Amino acid sequence: MMFDFSTIQFVDVIEFIGTFAFAISGIRLASAKKFDLFGAFVVGFVTAVGGGTLRDLLFGVIPFWMDNPIYLWCTLFSLIFVIIFHNHLIRLDSAFFAFDSIGLGLFVVVGAEKALNFGFDPWVAVIMGTITGSVGGVIRDVLINEIPLIFRKEIYALACVIGGLVFVALYKHSSLNLVIIEISTAAVVILVRFLAVKYHLSLPILRGEPKHNLPH
Amino acid sequence: MMFDFSTIQFVDVIEFIGTFAFAISGIRLASAKKFDLFGAFVVGFVTAVGGGTLRDLLFGVIPFWMDNPIYLWCTLFSLIFVIIFHNHLIRLDSAFFAFDSIGLGLFVVVGAEKALNFGFDPWVAVIMGTITGSVGGVIRDVLINEIPLIFRKEIYALACVIGGLVFVALYKHSSLNLVIIEISTAAVVILVRFLAVKYHLSLPILRGEPKHNLPH
Amino acid sequence: MMFDFSTIQFVDVIEFIGTFAFAISGIRLASAKKFDLFGAFVVGFVTAVGGGTLRDLLFGVIPFWMDNPIYLWCTLFSLIFVIIFHNHLIRLDSAFFAFDSIGLGLFVVVGAEKALNFGFDPWVAVIMGTITGSVGGVIRDVLINEIPLIFRKEIYALACVIGGLVFVALYKHSSLNLVIIEISTAAVVILVRFLAVKYHLSLPILRGEPKHNLPH
């Protein structure tokens, strides 16, 4: 039952879609910065697996992608896709956005669930869902030498936090089936992300102090 | 005796003060870069716990903050503090400086002591004290896309190194009580930091080579 | 036989040369950015040990440099070397290039071999060889707030990948002596690197999309 074949296949498809979308975003931003093919590949890979890698390092376990070369192949597929459809990517932007959001939903679920399975407190699970979903993009932006976008635009990371809270609440306080909880969580993440982009919702910005006020 | 209640409380207060000061510095610099509230929160948290997290990853143990939500609450408190006292922060700068230095002293002690407790060599303890005290600020500066300040200004990291050396020397070669050693170490860190800022002491800068000389 | 003294000494010399060359590159770039002496030391050290540190964290083992202070001493030696020979470094550039390439060859071998010894798949060994050889330079460039050079210039990381593939192929499918495999791998890395620089070989760059096309 745990290894119901159709479920695994479905999750695998979702995970491939998410990895693909994350890798595509890394590859496109890297190529805008004149990275070579190898550099674009690395940035794509790190965008896709960076969040889960930090999560697994914090848990003290071997990072997930070292067990299965699928993430590497998926990144290679993404690179070839960008090379071939280079001039048509913009027309695919809403598809990428959908894939990216689906991937985000899944990554949050995987991160939060792994934390609870390891016996960590619910608040750790929320953080781990958020790290899994958002740190890949942060590393991507550091590598291309830009300020991480998630700290400034739209409600990306907050969608992870909300998803993590939903997952933990349902997992601890409902009698729902795990698959239902997973799908509900991912749906909440996708919905928050969709609404944030559609209505240009963003968190308030702290008014900056004058520069000469700043610490150090 | 190991768990003397009044000592723990005192250390807890110090740790809260240090975490608060480190988080404040992250939040203020993030808000100067127009990070949203969530981004400022993340940068504050990473500034406060980043050094100890890298230390614990290097030791192969679960990072300290995953056991106790206090660091998260402390960062939230810091964020609210910055929001409320936004216009008055500059007047508090000497208080922040004092808190930051006290926190630095404690972080160095915690890092060096943990290394010795794990059986590492004294020189590893000095590095771990320095990492615990300074890496949070380095990650903060990478995230806000600035060159890390500690590599350029004042004797910040060197205060950690000196503190680490004092701790190791007293721990290995004196018969002093551990609490005395801890307090002496923290005092040395605070004193070095204070003198460096007061007298604008800084390490010499390597004269740069002309750009066309540079490797790669 | 495993601990043949002359072999160990030879590897030690190679490792010292590689560490020295990597540290020198970090120190020179840091000093060009006006880092103070301590900052230059840290950047040199991180350039030299950063790749192996990430590799060991991914493997879940204590980073190699925590067992042996030689890497610290070697970085200090590099710093003193840069201070003393400051005005003559450019004349030594071909020596540095040779040392850097030798070090790169060794680092790839060490990373790939460690992965196979831990029982990981061959493709993980290729990645670990590449990480060991190239991540130190990536962290260096992040710390000095530049876009990592290996993503843009010459065939640096690809030399690691090719070396890793050679190592894995010979290790798995030949009956050659391990030392021969190690030397052949390092030679391939050095040769690829040498040819790439001599003939200005580089990977193609993905044509960037117009900025308004980009994700997020």
Side-chain angles (χ1 to χ4, degrees), chain A residues 203-204 206, chain B residues 20 23-24 26-28 30-31 35-42 44-45 72-86 89:
Chain A
L203 285 173
L206 272 171
Chain B
F20 173 71
I24 290 274
I27 292 166
R28 290 175 77 185
S31 67
F35 282 38
D36 66 25
L37 284 181
F38 187 84
F41 179 84
V42 169
F45 186 66
L72 216 58
W73 290 118
C74 185
T75 304
L76 188 63
F77 175 75
S78 308
L79 183 65
I80 293 168
F81 189 93
V82 170
I83 293 170
I84 294 178
F85 296 104
H86 175 266
L89 294 176

Side-chain angles (χ1 to χ4, degrees), chain C residues 166-186:
Chain C
V166 167
F167 183 85
V168 163
L170 293 178
Y171 190 95
K172 290 281 174 189
H173 304 296
S174 83
S175 52
L176 291 171
N177 179 291
L178 183 58
V179 172
I180 305 289
I181 296 177
E182 292 171 343
I183 291 174
S184 308
T185 301

Side-chain angles (χ1 to χ4, degrees), chain B residues 7-205:
Chain B
T7 306
I8 289 190
Q9 281 194 314
F10 180 67
V11 168
D12 285 350
V13 170
I14 297 284
E15 191 163 28
F16 196 92
I17 286 174
T19 303
F20 173 71
F22 275 52
I24 290 274
S25 96
I27 292 166
R28 290 175 77 185
L29 287 164
S31 67
K33 290 272 185 158
K34 312 281 180 223
F35 282 38
D36 66 25
L37 284 181
F38 187 84
F41 179 84
V42 169
V43 175
F45 186 66
V46 166
T47 306
V49 308
T53 302
L54 177 59
R55 176 202 63 211
D56 288 346
L57 288 178
L58 294 171
F59 285 150
V61 300
I62 300 294
F64 68 103
W65 56 265
M66 290 168 67
D67 285 335
N68 189 339
I70 185 72
Y71 307 98
L72 216 58
W73 290 118
C74 185
T75 304
L76 188 63
F77 175 75
S78 308
L79 183 65
I80 293 168
F81 189 93
V82 170
I83 293 170
I84 294 178
F85 296 104
H86 175 266
N87 289 317
H88 309 280
L89 294 176
I90 191 170
R91 263 173 274 163
L92 298 168
D93 264 351
S94 36
F96 289 141
F97 176 72
F99 289 180
D100 193 86
S101 301
I102 293 167
L104 189 67
L106 178 79
F107 290 2
V108 170
V109 167
V110 170
E113 195 172 332
K114 213 167 177 177
L116 294 180
N117 284 343
F118 283 139
F120 285 101
D121 283 345
W123 63 272
V124 175
V126 175
I127 293 181
M128 290 302 156
T130 306
I131 285 177
T132 308
S134 64
V135 164
V138 172
I139 303 176
R140 173 199 66 201
D141 293 343
V142 167
L143 289 179
I144 64 171
N145 203 17
E146 296 282 346
I147 291 187
L149 266 162
I150 68 148
F151 295 147
R152 302 212 290 183
K153 224 178 151 186
E154 291 152 15
I155 294 186
Y156 194 93
L158 198 63
C160 301
V161 174
I162 294 169
L165 291 169
V166 167
F167 183 84
V168 164
L170 294 178
Y171 190 95
K172 291 279 174 190
H173 304 296
S174 83
S175 53
L176 291 171
N177 180 290
L178 183 57
V179 173
I180 305 289
I181 296 176
E182 292 171 343
I183 291 173
S184 308
T185 301
V188 166
V189 173
I190 294 166
L191 186 69
V192 172
R193 178 110 181 84
F194 174 78
L195 293 175
V197 169
K198 182 166 174 71
Y199 296 107
H200 301 289
L201 303 179
S202 56
L203 284 174
I205 291 170

Side-chain angles (χ1 to χ4, degrees), chain C:
Chain C
M1 243 178 63
M2 198 73 192
F3 288 93
D4 176 273
F5 195 67
S6 65
T7 307
I8 288 189
Q9 281 194 314
F10 180 68
V11 168
D12 285 350
V13 170
I14 297 285
E15 190 164 29
F16 195 92
I17 286 174
T19 303
F20 173 71
F22 275 51
I24 289 274
S25 96
I27 292 165
R28 290 174 78 186
L29 287 165
S31 67
K33 291 274 187 157
K34 313 281 181 222
F35 281 38
D36 66 26
L37 283 182
F38 186 85
F41 178 85
V42 170
V43 175
F45 186 66
V46 167
T47 307
V49 308
T53 302
L54 178 59
R55 176 202 63 211
D56 288 346
L57 288 178
L58 293 171
F59 285 151
V61 300
I62 300 293
F64 67 102
W65 56 265
M66 290 169 68
D67 285 335
N68 189 340
I70 184 71
Y71 306 97
L72 217 57
W73 291 116
C74 185
T75 304
L76 188 62
F77 175 76
S78 308
L79 183 65
I80 293 168
F81 189 94
V82 171
I83 293 169
I84 294 178
F85 295 105
H86 174 265
N87 288 316
H88 308 281
L89 293 177
I90 191 168
R91 264 174 272 162
L92 297 169
D93 264 350
S94 36
F96 289 140
F97 175 73
F99 290 180
D100 193 87
S101 301
I102 293 167
L104 189 67
L106 178 79
F107 289 1
V108 170
V109 167
V110 170
E113 195 172 333
K114 214 167 176 178
L116 295 180
N117 285 343
F118 283 138
F120 284 101
D121 283 344
W123 64 271
V124 175
V126 175
I127 294 181
M128 291 301 156
T130 306
I131 285 177
T132 309
S134 64
V135 164
V138 172
I139 303 178
R140 173 198 68 201
D141 294 342
V142 166
L143 289 179
I144 64 172
N145 203 15
E146 296 281 347
I147 291 186
L149 265 162
I150 68 149
F151 295 147
R152 303 214 288 183
K153 224 177 152 186
E154 290 151 14
I155 294 185
Y156 193 93
L158 198 63
C160 301
V161 174
I162 294 170
L165 291 170
V166 167
F167 183 85
V168 163
L170 293 178
Y171 190 95
K172 290 281 174 189
H173 304 296
S174 83
S175 52
L176 291 171
N177 179 291
L178 183 58
V179 172
I180 305 289
I181 296 177
E182 292 171 343
I183 291 174
S184 308
T185 301
V188 167
V189 173
I190 293 165
L191 187 69
V192 172
R193 177 109 182 84
F194 174 78
L195 292 176
V197 168
K198 183 169 172 70
Y199 296 107
H200 301 289
L201 303 178
S202 56
L203 284 174
I205 291 171
L206 271 171
R207 260 173 310 157
E209 299 166 70
K211 219 158 184 183
H212 55 84
N213 272 16
L214 287 172
H216 299 282

